[in-house]
Amino acid sequence: MDPKQELSSIDLAALVTELHRYEGAKVDKAYLYGDDLLRLKLRDFDRGRVELLAEVGDVKRVHVSDPERVPDAPGRPPNFAKMLRNRIAGADLTGVDQYEFDRILVFEFEREDADTTLVVELFGEGNVAVLDENGEVIGSLETLRLKSRTVAPGAQYEFPSSRLNPLTVGFDHFSRRMDESDSDVVRTLATQLNLGGLYAEEVCARAGIEKTTPITEADEQLYRAVYDALSQLRERLSSGEFDPRVYLEAADDGDGRVVDVTPFPLTERESQSLQSETYDSFNAALDSYFHRLELADGDEADAGDEGPKLEEEIARKRRIIDQQEGAIEGFEEDANRERRRAELLYENYDLVDEVLSTVQSAREEGVPWETIEEKFSTGADRGIPAAEAVVDVDGSEGTVTLELEGERVTVEADVGVERNADLLYQEAKRIEGKKEGALEAIQETREELERLEERKTRRERGELEADDRDGPDGEEGDKEDRSPDWLARSSIPIRESEEWYERFRWFHTSDGFLVIGGRKADQNEELVKKYMESNDRFFHAQAHGGPVTVLKATGPSERSREVEFPETSLEEAARFAVSYSSVWKDGRGAGDAYAVSPEQVSKTPESGEYLEKGGFVIRGDRTYYRDVPAEIAVGVQVEPQSRVLGGPPSAIEPRTATIIRLRPGKYAQNDAAMLCYREFKDRFTDQSFVRKVASADRIQEFLPPGGSQLEM
């Protein structure tokens, strides 16, 4: 018997009754795993920590989970999770409902600044949509544009067409719908009355009728028996008096495989010689069932003797990496916070200087700290801005704490603004030093994990014994140097590190030169002012609305030197400039680009002219590249880094395990990214690797603005 993978409408009706108990809980954080598992971490006054899971992929489920069973927080939240956190962090869960009799749950969240609705679709391909207080879609996991309904950012959310609810239909309407069928009773209940196969059979069993009775032979007495059985089902669901069951197939070792979970015992399941386990709540039963289903799927995916100690060590290394990533993220936040505080001192220089001068003058005159604090309090009552900014005076430490633009900044009272800002900058650098140490540590842990996972892979393939003959050092000696078939690998190690240029558009040419381009006007300005050097080359499409593109001769930490760029690199940089310009957005297949040296690029306009932000004046001769094709490729790189790459196909293909070519076309940017993601998942055996390093939002970062067409 195939195990249950999706919750039915009956299941959701029971689940909603229990989820009402969590109304009033406050949202802490939202997480997204891959593209289909959403986790909401909440705090409930009576129950403490509450973990709500919603999965809308091949498995479709919603339930509250035991905190011990939830997956560890992913290292880098995707855009959808960031958006959801911004909307509902700190909000109260105020309502949970099932939409009519459909497999749709609607969660309502309220916060002082905004109300948010979360719609979880557990039918078809599955989806999660986030709506504002007007029902407009802010974001969704999947963009849907059909004749019948649309689910897309900026559009009004549309529910699917209403379905008949068999639990609320009147007897006359019920009889008419049954009479309209040309099938038997059980099929009619399953399809025309929307009960589904299992519960249609259950209703027939409870009614004491033969399920295969043709509708043409059914009479009012049979209809009454079936309707009464439906009414009993409705009353049990509305009362919340469940007796949940997890059903298992019997096994010789007594450890059966889970096949179903229901809110109450089913006659159909009891008649199939299945083992059953009882639970105090339907939520608990769902949590146990899907946890064990996941474990069973993992066991089936594993091949051969895994070696328990090896598995435990791999799991331990992954936990360490998660902790290290969390620490690094914390270091980054702390360093940025100190830097921001230093900037606030300069942005409010006069106010801070007035406070410090007041304290220093008072101390020179021997005024006690308590009196200084009282003077600031009196000044605040009189509306003096400098005094209003003071929130604490600490004489024991010789510090004053100020509130500047919502941020609290503690300064040394006996030095000036510049020295205090310098101390904060030094603290930011000290924290960044700790981050560098953590990065080195995490790299070592990743290398250890990679070796363990590689050993596990060889073990699964039966290659471990042969590899161990290579010598005590584990070196492979004179084995043929061949590129691994990453698409076929069942487990691919992940190697990630961030480079300074990754916040821009970027790629490395076929000859190894770095090309970076601006994503917006601010970055165009930054590239020219900060990163373009005398020996680089400046590219731009011969069209309005294109990125500044810089072909780097050297890296930012290297000494600038003159190089002779190969023609392939120059052509690839031109193709990059054209593909990410308005040429693509306009749907054109080709465009022109030009290149100049950095000294020809200026921010000084001609007399009487005006330059908009991100614009530049080009003086002197230009080297033109005509009819440059608008075409890019996105690919998945496995080594030496695990990440998505995007840019000219000739530069991307040699560096990746597989690519998808794109040209201007009909699919919106986010739709094209999702199509690419699904294609990559189909190509790789290790789909978890794709979910972690090549999610749709990471792919979207490399797609040009405008519509795209995939060329497989």
Side-chain angles (χ1 to χ4, degrees):
M1 179 185 299
D2 291 333
K4 178 184 205 165
Q5 301 281 338
E6 303 178 358
L7 296 183
S8 68
S9 294
I10 295 284
D11 296 332
L12 292 182
L15 176 64
V16 165
T17 302
E18 291 191 354
L19 289 180
H20 284 311
R21 303 168 189 171
Y22 298 95
E23 291 175 356
K26 192 173 291 290
V27 180
D28 272 344
K29 219 164 191 180
Y31 304 90
L32 181 65
Y33 302 81
D35 63 338
D36 55 24
L37 176 58
L38 181 66
R39 168 189 163 201
L40 299 184
K41 182 180 177 182
L42 306 99
R43 287 177 288 111
D44 183 78
F45 182 78
D46 296 319
R47 299 172 180 83
R49 176 181 168 187
V50 177
E51 295 284 1
L52 180 65
L53 300 182
E55 189 169 6
V56 294
D58 295 334
V59 172
K60 294 180 175 65
R61 55 164 173 153
V62 173
H63 58 83
V64 171
S65 180
D66 185 328
E68 294 296 321
R69 290 175 176 162
V70 299
D72 293 335
R76 179 173 132 183
N79 293 335
F80 182 86
K82 291 179 183 177
M83 175 273 295
L84 190 54
R85 289 179 187 181
N86 289 335
R87 290 290 307 189
I88 67 173
D92 295 322
L93 174 62
T94 58
V96 185
D97 289 295
Q98 179 183 18
Y99 176 70
E100 297 186 349
F101 192 65
D102 219 325
R103 287 185 290 160
I104 299 176
L105 291 186
V106 180
F107 297 84
E108 300 288 349
F109 299 92
E110 291 184 3
R111 201 170 64 184
E112 287 186 4
D113 59 333
D115 296 340
T116 303
T117 301
L118 191 70
V119 183
V120 181
E121 300 180 355
L122 297 161
F123 63 91
E125 296 296 320
N127 202 1
V128 176
V130 182
L131 319 181
D132 65 14
E133 45 276 321
N134 300 315
E136 187 174 293
V137 178
I138 303 167
S140 58
L141 293 182
E142 298 275 1
T143 299
L144 187 69
R145 290 185 178 89
L146 304 173
K147 289 184 178 179
S148 57
R149 62 191 294 254
T150 297
V151 180
Q156 197 72 16
Y157 178 82
E158 301 175 24
F159 284 99
S161 301
S162 298
R163 302 196 310 161
L164 176 71
N165 187 341
L167 302 181
T168 59
V169 66
F171 179 73
D172 291 341
H173 191 181
F174 166 80
S175 299
R176 287 197 300 273
R177 290 297 291 265
M178 296 291 285
D179 284 339
E180 291 170 359
S181 174
D182 57 1
S183 184
D184 56 24
V185 173
V186 70
R187 288 188 177 88
T188 303
L189 288 171
T191 58
Q192 301 302 312
L193 274 295
N194 301 316
L195 273 175
L198 176 62
Y199 283 98
E201 293 185 354
E202 181 66 17
V203 166
C204 290
R206 294 189 177 208
I209 66 165
E210 176 54 51
K211 63 183 181 182
T212 58
T213 302
I215 289 295
T216 54
E217 298 177 11
D219 54 18
E220 184 175 349
Q221 183 178 356
L222 183 147
Y223 284 173
R224 280 290 178 189
V226 172
Y227 189 77
D228 288 345
L230 276 172
S231 299
Q232 293 170 11
L233 204 62
R234 179 184 66 245
E235 290 168 5
R236 185 149 196 180
L237 287 169
S238 60
S239 70
E241 296 178 1
F242 306 136
D243 185 10
R245 292 286 196 274
V246 169
Y247 289 99
L248 308 91
E249 287 183 332
D252 294 338
D253 59 4
D255 188 15
R257 183 177 66 121
V258 294
V259 294
D260 201 359
V261 54
T262 61
F264 33 72
L266 297 187
T267 305
E268 279 298 298
R269 289 299 187 228
E270 303 291 339
S271 67
Q272 293 171 328
S273 301
L274 296 174
Q275 299 173 352
S276 68
E277 297 174 350
T278 60
Y279 288 81
D280 293 335
S281 70
F282 190 37
N283 248 311
L286 289 170
D287 186 32
S288 175
Y289 175 82
F290 283 106
H291 176 66
R292 289 153 76 176
L293 180 66
E294 186 176 11
L295 292 178
D297 288 344
D299 290 342
E300 290 178 6
D302 294 337
D305 177 15
E306 291 299 311
K309 291 184 179 179
L310 186 60
E311 289 287 353
E312 290 173 9
E313 187 62 16
I314 288 173
R316 190 177 74 85
K317 293 295 183 187
R318 287 174 176 165
R319 287 195 299 272
I320 291 172
I321 289 172
D322 287 339
Q323 293 166 1
Q324 290 171 327
E325 287 177 339
I328 289 168
E329 185 176 345
F331 291 146
E332 290 174 348
E333 291 175 356
D334 291 345
N336 289 335
R337 188 180 300 114
E338 295 304 309
R339 209 173 278 110
R340 173 59 181 154
R341 286 170 175 167
E343 292 168 356
L344 285 170
L345 294 184
Y346 281 118
E347 290 170 8
N348 298 272
Y349 190 99
D350 291 340
L351 183 147
V352 178
D353 185 58
E354 183 179 347
V355 170
L356 292 175
S357 298
T358 300
V359 175
Q360 291 163 9
S361 297
R363 291 301 296 159
E364 288 172 2
E365 296 173 5
V367 178
W369 285 101
E370 294 80 3
T371 304
I372 294 172
E373 188 172 16
E374 290 172 4
K375 285 182 65 177
F376 280 123
S377 179
T378 303
D381 292 340
R382 291 165 52 195
I384 299 174
E388 288 179 327
V390 177
V391 295
D392 183 59
V393 177
D394 188 344
S396 63
E397 296 291 334
T399 61
V400 178
T401 300
L402 306 170
E403 183 160 324
L404 305 174
E405 300 178 22
E407 179 75 29
R408 293 198 171 191
V409 185
T410 299
V411 294
E412 302 284 344
D414 59 347
V415 296
V417 179
E418 293 88 350
R419 177 57 181 159
N420 273 294
D422 185 58
L423 289 172
L424 291 169
Y425 280 126
Q426 287 180 22
E427 178 63 12
K429 288 181 179 179
R430 187 189 68 81
I431 294 170
E432 286 181 332
K434 294 172 66 176
K435 174 189 167 184
E436 291 303 317
L439 286 171
E440 291 178 7
I442 198 173
Q443 183 59 32
E444 290 178 4
T445 310
R446 282 177 175 148
E447 290 171 359
E448 292 170 4
L449 176 61
E450 181 182 335
R451 287 193 291 270
L452 289 169
E453 289 181 328
E454 183 64 25
R455 184 173 181 84
K456 174 187 171 185
T457 300
R458 297 203 308 269
R459 203 180 166 87
E460 291 170 344
R461 295 184 175 185
E463 300 171 357
L464 189 58
E465 184 176 339
D467 286 349
D468 284 344
R469 289 199 298 268
D470 295 326
D473 297 332
E475 297 294 336
E476 298 194 2
D478 297 328
K479 283 189 177 182
E480 180 185 355
D481 182 16
R482 60 185 182 277
S483 177
D485 182 3
W486 294 115
L487 301 185
R489 286 280 184 95
S490 60
S491 177
I492 302 176
I494 296 176
R495 311 169 181 87
E496 288 185 312
S497 66
E498 292 192 12
E499 303 290 347
W500 64 270
Y501 47 76
E502 291 188 22
R503 60 193 182 91
F504 301 101
R505 296 195 188 279
W506 66 276
F507 78 99
H508 283 97
T509 70
S510 301
D511 309 296
F513 291 95
L514 175 65
V515 175
I516 46 180
R519 294 183 181 276
K520 51 188 178 180
D522 287 343
Q523 288 193 345
N524 285 345
E525 299 264 0
E526 184 180 1
L527 283 175
V528 170
K529 292 179 179 178
K530 185 175 180 180
Y531 292 105
M532 188 170 69
E533 297 178 298
S534 59
N535 294 302
D536 299 338
R537 294 289 280 172
F538 175 100
F539 283 79
H540 202 282
Q542 188 67 20
H544 183 73
V548 162
T549 299
V550 178
L551 173 58
K552 294 290 297 173
T554 55
S557 60
E558 298 178 70
R559 187 174 180 178
S560 182
R561 66 182 187 277
E562 186 175 353
V563 300
E564 185 174 344
F565 291 111
E567 194 61 33
T568 51
S569 291
L570 295 168
E571 290 174 353
E572 286 169 350
R575 179 171 292 197
F576 180 88
V578 167
S579 295
Y580 288 98
S581 73
S582 58
V583 169
W584 190 289
K585 197 170 186 179
D586 294 342
R588 291 183 279 155
D592 297 340
Y594 62 83
V596 297
S597 58
E599 60 266 21
Q600 294 178 253
V601 183
S602 172
K603 280 294 291 182
T604 305
E606 299 295 339
S607 178
E609 293 183 354
Y610 167 76
L611 278 180
E612 62 184 22
K613 190 173 185 179
F616 300 90
V617 174
I618 307 297
R619 295 185 172 92
D621 295 336
R622 310 179 186 190
T623 301
Y624 280 93
Y625 296 82
R626 304 292 187 184
D627 295 323
V628 177
E631 181 188 28
I632 68 153
V634 289
V636 181
Q637 185 182 45
V638 177
E639 58 179 9
Q641 300 293 327
S642 304
R643 57 190 175 190
V644 178
L645 295 181
S650 57
I652 301 305
E653 187 167 15
R655 289 180 164 82
T656 55
T658 183
I659 67 166
I660 297 172
R661 293 172 181 259
L662 298 100
R663 293 183 181 275
K666 62 181 180 179
Y667 293 108
Q669 192 184 54
N670 57 337
D671 295 338
M674 183 57 69
L675 290 171
C676 290
Y677 168 67
R678 289 174 176 166
E679 177 64 22
F680 286 139
K681 278 183 66 177
D682 289 342
R683 294 183 186 183
F684 279 86
T685 301
D686 185 0
Q687 294 191 354
S688 66
F689 172 80
V690 180
R691 286 197 297 270
K692 292 173 183 175
V693 306
S695 57
D697 62 297
R698 293 193 183 188
I699 293 171
Q700 188 171 338
E701 292 179 3
F702 289 91
L703 300 187
S708 297
Q709 181 68 43
L710 281 63
E711 297 183 355
M712 305 301 188

